[in-house]
């Protein structure tokens, strides 16, 4: 979603800000803007002037504009990529927004829910608005409250304004009247301050910080930080002092750069074997039939008593959660459900005693998942997180959890996080199963299989050229089906989601048996139907479903187990995956589907890492 970068130091702000903004492009946006404060000498001393430049579309458009006008001076500034919520994609609605009195500029991630009431109040005070956004209301409100003569400086005005606001925000604010100050604040939307030598770089995502400093602190909700070149002062919106903890950012620059790959999605698909090895490191002890999960071990007693597990998430994370549901019932013998967090949070869910809610999320910032988690906690459930981003809001609000450790995921289409989520849910279900009914032999068998998954994924990746060729055969087709059963029904959903989100081809995923209850009407001559037909308990049933599609002219692309020659009788194309235990199979069967989606998007000429209308982290409802 929206991205924020701000800077105060001795360097030219524009260059640093644009470099940071480019690192955040992956999050998805539709317009961009920048503001700096530049000082000039006048007879009355130094005067600062605020310059704001905005452009619709890519950051490159903003760069072109800046170049045409000779660029912006100044060593204090802020910038933003906007993903439209309130008001269309226009320059007026792009950030930074300004007040109409003091040269205040503000960038904002999140939503000010009571903006309409605040706007009415501000209009009654004579303020005139230029945009349709909630953010401009906040800029005006800070200006309305700003009164240096009464001791209300920029920091105090920001604190006072935020006391009036309901909603979520990460904001950065500068002001012509205080040219050596940057004020930033957060509630519900992430913001970190990178601490350099005489300089500070603030960003909504640490990837915009790491090339400058690895020391940073993450703001907590309701924190306001006043930053000067000399240092920073942190307080709450009620002006109570806070001491933030400066930490080392666990982010390697190499992890957020493309290297030899063409796209981040491609890089992330290919780094899955390495990523999974990292997920498993220190957590699998085959010899002792043991899963080691330090992040949840304090809650072993609650876990053993669990009577119901509810897994929530959105999109790809929900697909992983659905596989998790099968795993928990199968391996740990606990009644389990999965549910879109967006539905769960509003439907007055029943949470009985000994219920566990597991929030599954790559970013740890998804608004619906966070709200669902809070709802479950309020109703007394033990909450666990299966999260990738360390220190994210959900990871901090859960009682306990297990990190994915797959490294930063930059590609908007989630790939390695999905496999990481399934892997962690598998570890958790074996962990729990072992504490309940699972024999040490069964556990050892599963862990042996699990440890081999990274190599098995590697084997599938070797078929990349073939997968590309098969995809190319069907590239003109506008409607695809993805079908699977059991553990691979959610994999089919994931395959369809991947294809549609980056190639814009219409795709439906469903349980293979469901097809004949209606969707079979869609099948026309030559329509591609991808079947996950690996060897497993439902193999024969899947073959019957394949025949139903073939009989109506559909073309079958089968994801099948290495060595299965029989399947060739029924499928136009076969993509092989190695043989693995059924409950572990989604981690390998999803790989050809990810690669098909990737190649389809590239073959159709789409920008794989910046799919239209999508944002990496959905921090609005
Ligand atoms: C699809 C995709 C989304 C996310 C969903 C949840 O490729 O990335 O469907 O899975 O928005 O995001 P997280 O996992 O960050 O909660």
């Amino acid at each position: 979603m929206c991205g924020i970068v701000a800077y105060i130091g001795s360097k030219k702000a524009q260059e640093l800000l644009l470099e940071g903004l480019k690192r955040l492009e992956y999050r998805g946006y539709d317009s961009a803007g920048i503001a700096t404060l530049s000082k000039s000498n006048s007879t009355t001393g130094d005067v600062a002037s605020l310059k704001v430049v905005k452009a619709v579309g890519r950051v490159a458009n903003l760069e072109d504009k800046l170049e045409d006008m000779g660029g912006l001076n100044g060593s204090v500034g802020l910038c933003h990529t906007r993903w439209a919520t309130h008001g269309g994609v226009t320059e007026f609605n792009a950030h930074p927004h300004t007040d109409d009195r003091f040269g205040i500029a503000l960038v904002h991630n999140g939503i000010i829910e009571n903006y309409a009431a605040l706007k009415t109040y501000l209009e009654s005070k004579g303020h005139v608005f230029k945009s349709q956004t909630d953010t401009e209301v906040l800029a005006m409100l800070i200006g309305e409250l700003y009164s240096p003569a009464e001791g209300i400086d920029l920091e105090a005005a920001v604190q006072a304004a935020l006391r009036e606001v309901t909603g979520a925000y990460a904001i950065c604010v500068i002001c012509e009247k205080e040219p050596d100050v940057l004020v930033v604040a957060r509630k519900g939307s992430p913001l970190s301050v990178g601490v350099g030598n005489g300089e500070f770089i603030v960003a909504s995502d640490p990837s915009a910080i790491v090339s400058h400093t690895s020391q940073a602190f993450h703001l907590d909700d309701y924190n306001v930080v006043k930053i000067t070149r000399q240092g920073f002062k942190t307080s709450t919106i009620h002006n109570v002092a806070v001491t933030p903890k400066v930490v080392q950012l666990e982010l390697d620059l190499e992890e957020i750069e493309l290297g030899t790959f063409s796209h981040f999605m491609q890089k992330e698909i290919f780094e899955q074997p390495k990523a999974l090895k990292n997920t498993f490191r220190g957590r699998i002890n085959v010899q002792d039939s043991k899963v080691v999960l330090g992040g949840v071990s304090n809650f072993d007693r609650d876990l053993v008593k669990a009577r119901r597990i509810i897994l929530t998430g959105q999109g790809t994370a929900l697909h992983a959660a659905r596989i998790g549901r099968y795993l928990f019932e199968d391996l740990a013998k606990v009644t389990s459900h999965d549910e879109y967090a967006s539905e769960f949070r509003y439907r007055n869910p029943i949470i009985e005693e000994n219920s566990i809610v597991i929030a599954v999320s790559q970013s740890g910032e998804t608004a619906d998942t966070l709200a669902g988690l809070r709802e479950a906690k309020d109703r007394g459930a033990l909450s666990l997180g299966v999260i990738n981003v360390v220190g994210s809001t959900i990871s901090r609000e859960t009682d306990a959890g297990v990190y994915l450790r797959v490294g930063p995921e930059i590609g908007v289409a989630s790939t390695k996080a999905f496999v990481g989520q399934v892997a962690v849910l598998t570890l958790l279900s074996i962990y729990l199963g072992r504490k309940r009914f699972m024999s040490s032999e069964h556990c050892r068998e599963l862990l042996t299989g699990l440890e081999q998954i990274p190599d098995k994924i590697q084997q599938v990746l070797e078929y990349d050229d073939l997968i590309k060729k098969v995809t190319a055969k069907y590239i003109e087709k506008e409607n695809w089906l993805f079908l699977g059963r059991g553990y691979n029904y959610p994999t089919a959903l994931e395959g369809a989601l991947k294809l549609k989100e980056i190639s814009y081809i219409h795709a439906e995923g469903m349980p293979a048996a469901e097809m004949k209850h209606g969707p079979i009407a869609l099948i026309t001559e030559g329509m591609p139907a991808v079947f996950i037909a690996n060897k497993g308990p439902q193999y024969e049933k899947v073959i019957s479903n394949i025949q139903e599609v073939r009989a109506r002219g559909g073309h079958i692309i089968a994801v099948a187990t290495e060595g299965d020659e029989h399947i060739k009788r029924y499928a136009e194309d076969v993509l092989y995956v190695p043989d693995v235990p059924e409950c572990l199979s989604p981690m390998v069967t999803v790989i050809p589907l990810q690669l098909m989606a990737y190649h389809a998007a590239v073959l159709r000429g789409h920008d794989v890492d910046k799919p239209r209308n999508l944002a990496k982290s959905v921090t609005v409802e």
Side-chain angles (χ1 to χ4, degrees):
M1 302 226 90
C2 309
I4 288 178
V5 188
Y7 176 77
I8 180 164
S10 53
K11 298 184 188 128
K12 194 172 172 192
Q14 178 186 307
E15 277 144 36
L16 269 114
L17 293 174
L18 289 176
E19 184 220 309
L21 217 50
K22 282 187 205 153
R23 292 205 186 273
L24 301 190
E25 278 192 288
Y26 76 95
R27 300 181 67 88
Y29 68 100
D30 40 48
S31 51
I34 183 169
T36 65
L37 288 171
S38 59
K39 285 189 195 168
S40 55
N41 282 350
S42 82
T43 43
T44 51
D46 274 359
V47 182
S49 71
L50 176 76
K51 293 262 164 16
V52 181
V53 182
K54 306 182 192 188
V56 165
R58 296 281 184 236
V59 173
N61 301 352
L62 180 66
E63 277 183 305
D64 290 347
K65 250 182 141 173
L66 285 163
E67 205 181 308
D68 289 349
M69 57 182 284
L72 295 181
N73 291 323
S75 53
V76 178
L78 35 81
C79 61
H80 190 262
T81 44
R82 172 176 188 253
W83 189 81
T85 55
H86 293 65
V89 181
T90 65
E91 272 186 31
F92 277 125
N93 288 337
H95 301 207
H97 286 282
T98 52
D99 80 320
D100 51 1
R101 290 180 189 167
F102 298 106
I104 290 170
L106 174 145
V107 288
H108 166 222
N109 286 357
I111 286 183
I112 306 301
E113 284 164 8
N114 59 338
Y115 82 101
L118 291 171
K119 193 169 182 175
T120 308
Y121 162 74
L122 289 162
E123 279 169 341
S124 76
K125 292 275 187 179
H127 296 277
V128 180
F129 289 84
K130 290 183 283 210
S131 81
Q132 299 147 305
T133 65
D134 51 334
T135 302
E136 190 183 14
V137 173
L138 187 53
M140 290 285 190
L141 182 61
I142 294 169
E144 171 65 25
L145 298 168
Y146 185 67
S147 177
E150 294 170 273
I152 305 175
D153 62 5
L154 186 63
E155 179 196 21
V158 168
Q159 288 169 330
L162 295 179
R163 290 197 291 271
E164 302 302 322
V165 154
T166 53
Y169 52 79
I171 57 167
C172 295
V173 196
I174 52 177
C175 173
E176 262 179 11
K177 308 278 173 218
E178 298 182 37
D180 300 304
V181 172
L182 167 66
V183 177
V184 308
R186 162 205 160 123
K187 188 208 151 199
S189 194
L191 200 63
S192 306
V193 178
V195 182
N197 194 1
E199 61 178 3
F200 298 87
I201 183 146
V202 182
S204 51
D205 182 326
S207 59
I209 296 177
V210 276
S211 59
H212 302 283
T213 174
S214 57
Q215 300 289 302
F217 63 92
H218 309 295
L219 271 70
D220 282 326
D221 278 354
Y222 303 108
N223 280 182
V224 177
V225 190
K226 176 180 180 175
I227 309 172
T228 64
R229 291 180 185 84
Q230 289 71 43
F232 58 87
K233 172 182 160 254
T234 309
S235 58
T236 66
I237 58 170
H238 297 285
N239 203 26
V240 177
V242 173
T243 311
K245 201 167 134 212
V246 177
V247 293
Q248 179 84 14
L249 289 177
E250 302 280 333
L251 196 59
D252 198 341
L253 207 50
E254 207 179 282
E255 289 182 305
I256 54 170
E257 307 216 303
L258 261 183
T260 55
F261 290 94
S262 305
H263 300 95
F264 281 104
M265 181 184 180
Q266 185 193 31
K267 177 180 183 241
E268 287 155 11
I269 291 174
F270 278 87
E271 70 192 13
Q272 289 179 109
K274 185 172 144 218
L276 266 203
K277 281 186 186 155
N278 224 15
T279 305
F280 293 149
R281 197 171 16 89
R283 290 171 168 171
I284 296 179
N285 179 343
V286 179
Q287 210 179 350
D288 298 339
S289 296
K290 214 171 151 185
V291 173
V292 182
L293 295 177
V296 294
S297 56
N298 283 345
F299 291 87
D300 278 357
R301 288 177 63 161
D302 303 87
L303 292 174
V304 172
K305 281 192 293 185
R307 287 182 50 197
R308 183 185 295 267
I309 295 177
I310 301 158
L311 298 112
T312 67
Q314 297 290 142
T316 288
L318 197 269
H319 299 155
R322 190 156 296 173
I323 294 169
R325 169 199 179 176
Y326 282 58
L327 287 163
F328 280 109
E329 296 214 331
D330 192 5
L331 306 181
K333 311 286 179 236
V334 185
T335 307
S336 303
H337 301 281
D338 64 87
E339 192 167 348
Y340 287 106
S342 54
E343 292 299 311
F344 175 77
R345 62 179 293 196
Y346 285 121
R347 70 168 177 82
N348 202 9
I350 296 168
I351 306 271
E352 296 152 310
E353 221 184 320
N354 298 324
S355 292
I356 299 178
V357 167
I358 303 183
V360 183
S361 171
Q362 187 286 129
S363 61
E365 302 293 345
T366 301
D368 284 315
T369 310
L370 177 60
L373 167 80
R374 287 178 177 157
E375 184 67 30
K377 278 182 74 173
D378 280 353
R379 291 170 185 236
L382 174 72
S383 63
L384 303 184
V386 172
I387 309 292
N388 194 34
V389 178
V390 176
S392 54
T393 309
I394 298 179
S395 73
R396 287 191 284 165
E397 292 203 13
T398 41
D399 295 308
V402 183
Y403 281 120
L404 308 186
R405 295 198 203 141
V406 295
E409 191 178 66
I410 310 279
V412 170
S414 188
T415 52
K416 64 176 179 174
F418 172 78
V419 170
Q421 285 157 353
V422 176
V424 166
L425 290 166
T426 312
L427 286 171
L428 260 172
S429 55
I430 300 174
Y431 182 83
L432 186 50
R434 185 74 187 105
K435 296 201 181 305
R436 290 161 66 93
F437 313 103
M438 189 184 285
S439 68
S440 77
E441 226 157 279
H442 187 198
C443 179
R444 191 170 303 126
E445 207 178 290
L446 287 169
L447 293 181
T448 306
L450 201 53
E451 253 191 342
Q452 291 171 4
I453 293 293
D455 294 338
K456 306 276 181 186
I457 292 177
Q458 188 58 48
Q459 288 174 37
V460 187
L461 293 172
E462 310 291 326
Y463 290 129
D464 185 39
D465 284 345
L466 172 71
I467 295 168
K468 184 176 173 185
K469 248 185 238 156
V470 170
T471 311
K473 265 173 80 174
Y474 302 98
I475 198 63
E476 303 300 335
K477 302 288 180 187
E478 290 300 338
N479 294 294
W480 292 49
L481 282 178
F482 286 78
L483 301 147
R485 297 178 80 120
Y487 276 106
N488 281 302
Y489 139 57
T491 319
L493 299 183
E494 178 59 7
L497 177 61
K498 284 291 89 84
L499 187 68
K500 64 186 137 189
E501 69 182 322
I502 52 168
S503 70
Y504 318 143
I505 294 170
H506 174 245
E508 297 260 0
M510 70 194 77
E514 175 63 13
M515 188 193 47
K516 56 186 166 300
H517 297 281
I520 198 163
L522 292 172
I523 295 168
T524 50
E525 189 61 39
M527 179 181 190
V530 181
F531 272 88
I532 301 159
N534 56 317
K535 284 273 186 205
Q538 300 201 56
Y539 177 73
E540 293 302 337
K541 306 265 176 228
V542 174
I543 296 291
S544 306
N545 299 140
I546 286 179
Q547 282 174 327
E548 289 153 13
V549 175
R550 262 175 86 80
R552 286 157 184 88
H555 281 188
I556 311 299
I557 303 160
V559 174
T561 306
E562 204 82 66
D564 179 2
E565 292 296 319
H566 175 73
I567 192 93
K568 288 186 175 161
R569 280 194 230 160
Y570 309 101
E572 270 71 22
D573 295 282
V574 182
L575 304 175
Y576 282 114
V577 296
D579 195 10
V580 300
E582 174 69 1
C583 66
L584 309 181
S585 65
M587 286 179 277
V588 294
T589 54
V590 76
I591 307 297
L593 310 188
Q594 294 172 342
L595 284 168
M596 282 181 96
Y598 172 74
H599 290 304
V602 174
L603 287 164
R604 285 189 163 218
H606 299 313
D607 190 344
V608 175
D609 288 330
K610 299 185 195 86
R612 74 176 175 218
N613 304 338
L614 293 186
K616 182 64 187 158
S617 166
V618 184
T619 50
V620 294
E621 267 187 55

